[in-house]
Amino acid sequence: MRSLRWHGRGDLRLDEVPEPQAPGPGEAIVEVSYTGVCGTDLHEYTAGPNLIRTTPHPLTGATPPLTLGHEFSGRVAALGSPVPGIEVGTRVAVDPCLRCGTCRWCRHGEYHICAKGGSVGLASPGAFAPLVTVPTVGLVPVPDGVPDELAALAEPLAVGLHAIRRAGVQPGDTALLIGAGPIGIAALMALKLAGAAGIYVSEPAPDRAKRAAELGATEVYDPAVTDVRREVFLRTGRVGPDVVVEATGRPELVELAISTVRRGGRAVLAGISGGAASIPLTQIVPFERTVLGSLGYNFDIPRVLDLIATARLDPTPLLTGVYPLTQGLDAFRELGSGSHLKILLDPKEH
């Protein structure tokens, strides 16, 4: 079968690889319907290795070349052991977090920060292929009425939902989002669900800024021409927003996030990169601001699917392109140009 694999920085190849062998206990083979291209995938392509290990992963033993792809939907093709509520043919989305199940964090339900953890598509072969082997613990049944394309968006939407849950947003709160890429847009949708009264967005890219405005942002600012901190301070009655979500991963914006949130407010860092951020303690301690990291999701994918199924969340604005797997390299280049939010790859033979 054909598989889009990471061989190294700037080196993605459409390779011919063997189909997965029969799944063992606790494993399933999923026939992939659609897979999203994540900013993490793009970062591995342009600047990796970052999350991909060049030495054997401590949990899976995987080493490059490695099939990417961790945002996906599909149908269960084979089960290595029985799973309540799931059988061959069940439509699923997949929580791709790989976990040991025995560390302190796994035992307390915080599997997403497992001491040995990783992700399908970064620590084991992923879903840029027609078939993928995954742990059965990650299988999430897709409710009737949720199309496969939208089910594949559940993972990135869960990232935004988790960030807003971490922030403890209450009805009537105000928030600033720094960045309106996929994570920022997902967080914007989650803020609306949480009842935020004022949602301010900082985004320099015109297409993304326009989309944020269309999705209900109160105001969208271009940081190249506007002092975003000053404007949001004035718009919130010279108090500052209750919550700031940094969704770009750019180290130089971390201080902006912290210095903009109100006294006693919460700054949530949801973007990630390898850079170092400079954070003056005088911006945190005297104002008793809380700084929170937000990694991925923790039982949030089922929540997202239920929100879509009940028409409380419409993820279609996030989807801006669908490519066959054979055009995967083109999809990466398009995403890198900044003209898309979320691109799906279709690995099915046509």
Side-chain angles (χ1 to χ4, degrees), residues 102-193:
T102 58
C103 70
R104 184 260 183 220
W105 294 275
C106 284
R107 288 186 284 107
H108 286 77
E110 297 175 304
Y111 66 88
H112 63 309
I113 50 174
C114 168
K116 293 183 179 179
S119 173
V120 173
L122 295 167
S124 71
F128 287 161
L131 298 168
V132 59
T133 300
V134 299
T136 56
V137 69
L139 298 177
V140 182
V142 175
D144 293 339
V146 178
D148 292 338
E149 296 96 322
L150 300 189
L153 300 177
E155 193 271 359
L157 286 165
V159 176
L161 180 63
H162 183 66
I164 300 311
R165 289 180 60 227
R166 288 279 288 159
V169 174
Q170 300 293 317
D173 279 355
T174 55
L176 168 66
L177 290 174
I178 301 177
I183 293 175
I185 291 295
L188 190 159
M189 293 178 174
L191 280 166
K192 291 179 66 179
L193 285 167

Side-chain angles (χ1 to χ4, degrees), residues 225-241:
V225 298
T226 301
D227 184 338
V228 175
R229 183 176 183 274
R230 178 180 182 278
E231 289 299 319
V232 175
F233 180 71
L234 293 174
R235 288 298 301 267
T236 55
R238 299 181 181 274
V239 171

Side-chain angles (χ1 to χ4, degrees), residues 15-341:
D15 295 331
E16 193 70 28
V17 301
E19 292 188 357
Q21 298 180 354
E27 293 182 335
I29 295 177
V30 173
E31 182 182 1
V32 180
S33 297
Y34 295 96
T35 308
V37 181
C38 179
T40 301
D41 299 320
L42 181 63
H43 197 50
E44 292 292 343
Y45 173 55
T46 60
N50 298 298
L51 298 179
I52 292 175
R53 294 172 180 256
T54 55
T55 56
H57 191 276
L59 192 60
T60 68
T63 56
L66 190 68
T67 303
L68 297 177
H70 59 273
E71 307 175 353
F72 61 103
S73 64
R75 286 169 172 74
V76 175
L79 288 168
S81 53
V83 181
I86 292 177
E87 57 189 25
V88 172
T90 298
R91 291 195 312 131
V92 293
V94 174
D95 183 330
C97 288
L98 301 172
R99 60 207 83 168
C100 71
T102 58
C103 70
R104 184 260 183 220
W105 294 275
C106 284
R107 288 186 284 107
H108 286 77
E110 297 175 304
Y111 66 88
H112 63 309
I113 50 174
C114 168
K116 293 183 179 179
S119 173
V120 173
L122 295 167
S124 71
F128 287 161
L131 298 168
V132 59
T133 300
V134 299
T136 56
V137 69
L139 298 177
V140 182
V142 175
D144 293 339
V146 178
D148 292 338
E149 296 96 322
L150 300 189
L153 300 177
E155 193 271 359
L157 286 165
V159 176
L161 180 63
H162 183 66
I164 300 311
R165 289 180 60 227
R166 288 279 288 159
V169 174
Q170 300 293 317
D173 279 355
T174 55
L176 168 66
L177 290 174
I178 301 177
I183 293 175
I185 291 295
L188 190 159
M189 293 178 174
L191 280 166
K192 291 179 66 179
L193 285 167
I199 304 174
Y200 306 98
V201 177
S202 174
E203 174 54 61
D207 290 345
R208 291 182 170 185
K210 179 181 178 183
R211 197 171 298 272
E214 292 170 347
L215 288 173
T218 307
E219 292 286 346
V220 183
Y221 304 107
D222 180 352
V225 298
T226 301
D227 184 338
V228 175
R229 183 176 183 274
R230 178 180 182 278
E231 289 299 319
V232 175
F233 180 71
L234 293 174
R235 288 298 301 267
T236 55
R238 299 181 181 274
V239 171
D242 299 294
V243 170
V244 176
V245 178
E246 203 299 302
T248 71
R250 292 174 55 187
E252 67 271 22
L253 297 179
V254 172
E255 183 178 350
L256 172 66
I258 294 170
S259 65
T260 301
V261 75
R262 67 163 172 81
R263 294 170 182 258
R266 286 120 21 228
V268 180
L269 310 182
I272 190 169
S273 73
S278 174
I279 307 173
L281 293 179
T282 53
Q283 291 293 338
I284 301 174
V285 179
F287 302 98
E288 209 168 69
R289 291 164 169 147
T290 300
V291 182
L292 297 161
S294 182
L295 177 67
Y297 26 79
N298 178 234
F299 300 110
D300 293 289
I301 291 177
R303 293 183 174 100
V304 168
L305 290 170
D306 286 342
L307 287 166
I308 297 172
T310 55
R312 295 189 61 206
L313 177 62
D314 178 12
T316 52
L318 199 62
L319 179 58
T320 54
V322 180
Y323 288 68
L325 183 65
T326 52
Q327 295 180 21
L329 278 172
D330 294 332
F332 269 75
R333 295 185 185 109
E334 285 287 316
L335 193 64
S337 72
S339 59
H340 284 273
L341 280 176

